[in-house]
Amino acid sequence: MIGFSAGMLLIFVLSSYAYSLDLKGHNKPLNGLINEQIVTLRMTYWAGSQLTIDKNNAVIERFEKAYPWIKVQASYYSGDAYDEQLMVMAAANNLPDVVRIDYANMARYAKKSLLLPLDDYISRQVIDLEGVHPVHNAGAMLNGKQYGLNIGNNALVLFYDKELLKQAGVEPPSRNYTWEQYESDLRAIRDRTGHYGDTHLTQHHFRVWLRANAAAFYNEDQNGLGYWDDQLFIDFFNKQLSWQKEGLLTPLSTELETRNLEDGPFPKGQTAFGGFTYWSNQIDIVEKQLGKQVGLAAYPGAGIHGMYIKPSFFHSIAKSSKHPDEAALFINYYTNDLDAAIALNAYFGVPYNPKVIAGLKETFTVTQQNVLNYLSDVERYGSLIDPPDPIVGPEVNELFKSISNEILFERITSEAGAAKFRAETNAILSRNPL
Amino acid sequence: MKRTSKQWLRNPDLYAGYAFIFPWLLGLFVFSLFPIFFSLYLSFTDYDILSAPQWIGFENFKEMFTDDPRFVKSVKVTLLYVAVSVPLRLCFALAVAALLNMKIKGARALRSLYYLPTLMGGSVAVIVMWGQLFGINGAFNSFMRSIFGIEISISWITDPSTALGSLIALSVWQFGSAMLIFLAGLKQIPASLLEAALVDGASAAYRFRRITLPLLSPVIFFNLVMGIIGGFKVFSEGMILTGGGPHDQTLFYVIYLYENSFRFLHMGYGSAMAWVLLLAVSILTALVFRSSSLWVHYESKGERGA
């Protein structure tokens, strides 16, 4: 009997709780009236270092001051976890109001109609793109609709330590930096300073090199590789094997153990060149770590078509957002407001809105001026960015990394690696028809 | 008097019982059973998380066994890992337990100390520490350089020939829980038997082989089964330290499963892999159970005795 009454009590408690929840639901409009002013936006972003978090918080702080009725709750994830987290949120229909999305994934999210088209806000000038060249936001355009707003522009970059280069009697890399020159520079650095020249080359180097050779990583239909001659692949790795043997590059193991951007051999002052996969906006992290100014140059062998400008990230509004208007205000502020731009210091790429650039001119630091000069060089001498990778891109990237390690640890020859990469990439692309 | 089903239903205790375990039942259905059966469904589909799953029958399983070299590689790596790390850890745990079972000063304190690595072992911090110890500039290489003057220029973690070995070493190092169970088992062995053998002039090794081991076999059996199951599920060590690399040398089964599900967005394929893993571990455990009648000695055999 006691058991029974206790059980009934529990059911009663649970059901009354449910009832109270229900009541709360009914009360909502009333509460809403009281709190009408306060809107809380959620946003996600990718962070590879503490500096990223600080910079993002700085903009949010300024935004909340400018729009006191909007609060922004930002959460970040680092590394590959970001894409995975975003995917899970999308699957659960729980995307934040403001989503930061990379160029590579933009089309996928837009196609699945998870994002709100921004055209209405653009035409009402809530998002102010007046005088902005359309090329800067072309990557977020799908079927004539704009799904994201570029935060700032980036390019791949070969950083270099000016002092070490000087010590080795090496001229800073010029436009049209050749592989031969790079190789002899690496050797000079090794011989005269005892430092390593650079880290190993990455898939980004390979892609840039393919572009310079009028080829591409994927073909136009994205159902096969975009280069016919495996010699390109073989040369790319044979070069590294011989440099590795001479001790011109950091040990591969050191590179594989690198976790954060700050950890790399270049920010730690172990190499004279910093290729790795640095983007121009990461200069702040590198300079902070090294405690001095670094130079920026195009990749060796990039020729005239190799380098390209890439939007660092896009801001999009989730279709499921309950506060799209406020979200639009926020993403506009992030990209187009001078205050935000000053707080960011071009941290998420160089601004492209002419009004912002004009306003920034006076406050530009030397570093920013260097980045700006470098980017305008890339714009002038590079070519357009490749279309986003196919959906199976991550699988192919994983394969490239795996085979690259297999070759550089001297388990297979470059020739065998080239053939294996081609065969397995084709298998992946055909197994997963897009 | 025989109760009818209606009377049974009228029993108020029944409702009270269910009401009390309702929160747990809810958790079981919503967070365990539903996902389990949903993943069974997904394993027969092509599901990229963002669009609706598409039924493709046994295609995932067919691809796994006929057309996926990385799947084969991950199976090989995991089998090797389990085959080496589980016996090694058991031997190590047993040896330490036997040492701690001796009547020495401070045995209690030592017991706690030796258990510490296990308390922390599953945590990310220890895995990261392992990377610091055996990295290219890690403590181990520095130690070899300063004490023995041996210059080691490889990273035990990321070199293809040592990567799996260093993860196995990490697993052996987490011997604590097995050790504790062994220790409890050792305490159960009647001292009178060992003393009688001692009086008969049996050597220490002989006593261990003929008395300790047979009496301990149920505990060994338990530890073996748990070790095998845990071994197949190995994930975080590889994910954090090596990411499955270099060139798939440490691509554990669950890492590949994770890659497929979340990185390559083949959730259906990942689910299929999970079910294959479940089946494989079940079959293996069943085999170990079948073999137990050959080598596990139960004091109270009952009707099972020969």
Side-chain angles (χ1 to χ4, degrees):
Chain A
M1 196 57 215
I2 292 177
F4 175 69
S5 37
M8 288 311 288
L9 188 73
L10 192 69
I11 290 172
F12 176 69
V13 168
L14 282 174
S15 57
S16 61
Y17 179 63
Y19 184 61
S20 72
L21 281 181
D22 204 33
L23 268 186
K24 270 181 200 153
H26 287 305
N27 276 343
K28 208 163 191 179
L30 223 132
N31 284 341
L33 270 179
I34 297 163
N35 295 332
E36 195 182 35
Q37 268 89 355
I38 300 293
V39 169
T40 306
L41 290 178
R42 289 192 302 139
M43 81 169 288
T44 54
Y45 62 104
W46 179 88
S49 108
Q50 182 60 40
L51 204 52
T52 314
I53 301 162
D54 295 343
K55 289 282 183 186
N56 196 60
N57 286 342
V59 178
I60 290 177
E61 207 173 289
R62 287 177 185 223
F63 175 75
E64 286 177 346
K65 221 166 262 168
Y67 300 86
W69 69 93
I70 308 176
K71 292 266 167 283
V72 182
Q73 271 177 4
S75 53
Y76 65 88
Y77 305 91
S78 41
D80 293 333
Y82 184 69
D83 288 345
E84 289 152 22
Q85 200 62 39
L86 223 51
M87 206 59 74
V88 172
M89 285 170 152
N93 196 23
N94 188 30
L95 276 178
D97 303 285
V98 176
V99 203
R100 198 170 288 183
I101 302 181
D102 186 49
Y103 173 78
N105 298 325
M106 198 62 221
R108 176 184 303 170
Y109 281 87
K111 264 184 214 159
K112 302 282 178 193
S113 65
L114 291 159
L115 307 175
L116 198 69
L118 305 177
D119 303 80
D120 190 31
Y121 293 111
I122 294 168
S123 62
R124 276 163 39 206
Q125 297 217 326
V126 177
I127 293 172
D128 180 13
L129 289 182
E130 206 193 331
V132 171
H133 196 286
V135 72
H136 299 295
N137 281 299
M141 194 83 140
L142 193 87
N143 300 331
K145 282 186 176 153
Q146 190 71 42
Y147 285 96
L149 188 62
N150 179 4
I151 311 181
N153 282 325
N154 261 344
L156 288 164
V157 62
L158 175 70
F159 289 128
Y160 57 89
D161 187 324
K162 294 176 188 169
E163 292 167 28
L164 278 178
L165 253 50
K166 204 169 181 189
Q167 226 176 303
V170 167
E171 287 287 315
S174 59
R175 207 166 288 145
N176 265 325
Y177 194 40
T178 61
W179 286 114
E180 292 73 27
Q181 187 61 43
Y182 177 66
E183 181 174 329
S184 79
D185 289 351
L186 292 179
R187 204 167 288 130
I189 291 158
R190 177 75 190 151
D191 293 343
R192 299 200 191 126
T193 70
H195 279 74
Y196 290 114
D198 200 347
T199 41
H200 285 79
L201 305 175
T202 67
Q203 199 198 124
H204 285 299
H205 289 88
F206 185 55
R207 289 186 181 217
V208 166
W209 197 44
L210 289 176
R211 287 163 57 93
N213 282 284
F217 196 71
Y218 292 109
N219 65 18
E220 225 165 286
D221 297 330
Q222 298 201 321
N223 56 11
L225 289 172
Y227 60 94
W228 295 110
D229 188 1
D230 273 348
Q231 199 58 41
L232 289 167
F233 186 101
I234 294 164
D235 288 348
F236 182 77
F237 280 99
N238 281 345
K239 271 195 251 287
Q240 295 183 70
L241 283 171
S242 77
W243 300 339
Q244 173 174 285
K245 201 168 255 169
E246 273 186 75
L248 305 180
L249 305 176
T250 46
L252 193 55
S253 290
T254 313
E255 296 161 26
L256 291 177
E257 282 177 14
T258 302
R259 297 264 169 260
N260 304 314
L261 288 169
E262 288 96 335
D263 274 354
F266 181 71
K268 280 181 168 172
Q270 294 165 351
T271 63
F273 287 113
F276 223 39
T277 45
Y278 293 120
W279 292 91
S280 53
N281 68 325
Q282 288 162 348
I283 193 167
D284 287 338
I285 297 172
V286 168
E287 288 193 344
K288 192 178 171 199
Q289 206 64 22
L290 277 172
K292 60 183 167 193
Q293 254 159 17
V294 298
L296 302 99
Y299 281 176
I304 45 165
H305 295 301
M307 305 304 282
Y308 56 91
I309 300 272
K310 175 187 171 291
S312 65
F313 270 107
F314 290 105
H315 271 154
S316 297
I317 302 175
K319 202 167 212 174
S320 56
S321 169
K322 294 207 168 56
H323 312 291
D325 296 350
E326 286 80 5
L329 284 175
F330 180 69
I331 67 176
N332 179 61
Y333 184 86
Y334 217 108
T335 301
N336 292 328
D337 193 281
L338 190 56
D339 253 4
I342 289 170
L344 280 176
N345 250 332
Y347 184 76
F348 292 116
V350 168
Y352 52 86
N353 186 327
K355 282 174 241 167
V356 175
I357 295 177
L360 274 181
K361 271 266 153 66
E362 301 149 30
T363 56
F364 259 176
T365 60
V366 182
T367 300
Q368 281 173 301
Q369 197 56 55
N370 289 342
V371 175
L372 198 65
N373 290 344
Y374 173 65
L375 280 192
S376 53
D377 260 16
V378 171
E379 215 168 346
R380 204 171 318 145
Y381 300 103
S383 58
L384 271 185
I385 186 169
D386 290 334
D389 285 357
I391 300 260
V392 294
E395 242 169 300
V396 177
N397 295 345
E398 188 75 26
L399 177 70
F400 185 89
K401 195 170 76 185
S402 174
I403 291 178
S404 163
N405 285 336
E406 216 169 344
I407 296 171
L408 296 172
F409 275 120
E410 297 176 31
R411 300 297 147 118
I412 54 172
T413 61
S414 305
E415 286 78 7
K420 189 174 169 187
F421 182 63
R422 184 172 289 279
E424 292 192 13
T425 301
N426 284 335
I428 291 172
L429 289 169
S430 67
R431 201 186 302 146
N432 302 286
L434 185 60
Chain B
M1 194 178 88
K2 206 184 156 205
R3 278 185 170 187
T4 65
S5 59
K6 265 191 176 167
Q7 277 169 323
W8 178 75
L9 271 175
R10 235 177 270 151
N11 179 6
D13 287 348
L14 179 75
Y15 298 103
Y18 279 114
F20 271 115
I21 62 168
F22 175 72
W24 181 83
L25 276 181
L26 192 73
L28 176 75
F29 282 109
V30 175
F31 297 115
S32 296
L33 287 180
F34 173 70
I36 287 172
F37 286 105
F38 195 57
S39 95
L40 181 61
Y41 161 67
L42 286 183
S43 66
F44 295 100
T45 63
D46 182 13
Y47 179 44
D48 71 352
I49 302 186
L50 292 184
S51 20
Q54 279 175 351
W55 186 266
I56 53 167
F58 282 92
E59 279 304 308
N60 285 330
F61 298 93
K62 216 172 98 192
E63 183 186 330
M64 212 180 292
F65 291 108
T66 60
D67 192 24
D68 188 355
R70 291 192 79 207
F71 174 80
V72 177
K73 176 83 190 171
S74 76
V75 170
K76 278 187 195 158
V77 167
T78 311
L79 283 178
L80 185 63
Y81 174 83
V82 173
V84 178
S85 75
V86 173
L88 265 184
R89 177 162 42 172
L90 288 194
C91 292
F92 199 63
L94 183 55
V96 177
L99 278 177
L100 290 180
N101 195 34
M102 292 193 298
K103 291 190 172 54
I104 45 171
K105 247 189 184 173
R108 272 163 183 274
L110 284 177
R111 240 172 266 162
S112 319
L113 275 179
Y114 276 93
Y115 188 62
L116 268 183
T118 302
L119 281 181
M120 307 180 297
S123 76
V124 171
V126 167
I127 298 169
V128 172
M129 182 208 75
W130 204 254
Q132 311 259 331
L133 279 180
F134 293 99
I136 190 162
N137 297 314
F140 182 77
N141 284 357
S142 315
F143 177 78
M144 294 303 274
R145 183 164 48 236
S146 55
I147 305 290
F148 300 106
I150 303 170
E151 197 68 44
I152 302 173
S153 58
I154 68 159
S155 159
W156 301 93
I157 304 285
T158 56
D159 194 274
S161 35
T162 58
L164 188 58
S166 66
L167 291 187
I168 289 175
L170 173 58
S171 141
V172 173
W173 187 66
Q174 294 166 3
F175 61 88
S177 64
M179 177 206 72
L180 214 63
I181 297 169
F182 274 136
L183 199 56
L186 286 173
K187 295 264 181 225
Q188 294 291 314
I189 294 171
S192 56
L193 284 179
L194 292 166
E195 272 164 25
L198 187 65
V199 171
D200 287 346
S203 69
Y206 195 79
R207 268 175 294 162
F208 184 75
R209 205 156 59 83
R210 284 312 175 92
I211 297 174
T212 311
L213 271 189
L215 286 175
L216 204 59
S217 57
V219 178
I220 298 177
F221 174 67
F222 174 79
N223 272 339
L224 180 69
V225 170
M226 298 311 280
I228 289 175
I229 295 174
F232 275 102
K233 293 198 304 186
V234 58
F235 174 69
S236 37
E237 289 88 341
M239 194 65 194
I240 294 168
L241 278 182
T242 61
H247 63 88
D248 293 350
Q249 292 300 304
T250 59
L251 185 73
F252 295 130
Y253 192 91
V254 184
I255 292 187
Y256 188 47
L257 191 163
Y258 172 84
E259 269 188 1
N260 263 310
S261 306
F262 291 100
R263 203 161 289 168
F264 306 156
L265 305 184
H266 303 158
M267 199 47 107
Y269 195 74
S271 300
M273 280 187 71
W275 280 88
V276 169
L277 177 67
L278 178 74
L279 279 182
V281 174
S282 312
I283 291 170
L284 206 68
T285 312
L287 285 180
V288 175
F289 264 92
R290 287 291 284 279
S291 79
S292 71
S293 61
L294 297 174
W295 59 277
V296 178
H297 172 87
Y298 287 104
E299 272 299 82
S300 50
K301 264 191 177 161
E303 67 271 27
R304 283 184 60 203

